[in-house]
Amino acid sequence: MYDPILVAVDGSDAAGRAAEEAFRLAREFDATVHLLYVLDESASTLLFSAESLSNRFDRLRSDADEFLADLRADEGDLAVESAVIRGMGVYRGIVGYAEREGMELIVMGSRGRHGRAGVLGNTSERVGANSDIPVLLVPGPEEPPDDESPA
């Protein structure tokens, strides 16, 4: 039904849950999973760091590679590919990759590392608004139901 499946991850618990859901779907439909981690090159991300750009991207790349390796570790014979890319805005990187690679479904956490930006996370909202590919949003383990506000 959906093959291949893209999972956009950011190192958060919600991203881990999204990957688990994508792996379950991939087993059910005998699909390939693409794990994608986008390193944000936008000025707002980089300007507020005391690290040099080179050191910051080296550290971010290392963190991304480690997170992707952890996600893949227990997946056995499931067809899983992974990529770390740099982009001017995470949602643009996700949508661009999905379109270039012919993804049939995008799976991601409804909110990522940066917490609430509204009902949905800023990135998940933008991916949904800017992609013709179906998007499955998976809540993180810490998210309250819609009728409850955070404490």
Side-chain angles (χ1 to χ4, degrees):
M1 180 170 191
Y2 295 112
D3 186 21
I5 299 170
L6 174 63
V7 186
V9 298
D10 64 359
S12 68
D13 290 341
R17 289 200 58 208
E20 290 172 9
E21 184 64 19
F23 294 150
R24 186 186 68 73
L25 288 170
R27 281 189 182 84
E28 187 172 327
F29 298 117
D30 194 29
T32 299
V33 172
H34 289 241
L35 300 171
L36 178 66
Y37 200 115
V38 179
L39 302 178
D40 191 1
E41 291 184 319
S42 62
S44 62
T45 303
L46 301 173
L47 290 176
F48 300 109
S49 175
E51 287 180 279
S52 73
L53 290 180
S54 176
N55 287 345
R56 180 161 173 81
F57 275 114
D58 287 347
R59 184 180 52 78
L60 291 172
R61 175 68 190 232
S62 176
D63 291 348
D65 287 339
E66 184 177 328
F67 186 74
L68 293 172
D70 288 346
L71 289 176
R72 292 180 71 159
D74 297 325
E75 295 315 311
D77 61 348
L78 187 64
V80 179
E81 298 181 24
S82 60
V84 178
I85 64 172
R86 291 164 66 158
M88 292 300 289
V90 174
Y91 84 93
R92 286 185 188 106
I94 294 167
V95 172
Y97 182 94
E99 290 173 354
R100 278 190 312 277
E101 299 297 323
M103 297 295 118
E104 293 187 6
L105 178 68
I106 300 171
V107 180
M108 58 191 300
S110 58
R111 295 185 194 102
R113 287 182 306 178
H114 302 294
R116 289 181 177 267
V119 176
L120 299 176
N122 193 35
T123 300
S124 58
E125 184 175 0
R126 287 181 173 182
V127 168
N130 290 281
S131 177
D132 293 329
I133 300 166
V135 179
L136 172 63
L137 299 179
V138 179
E142 70 285 344
E143 292 181 35
D146 286 342
D147 60 344
E148 295 181 25
S149 59

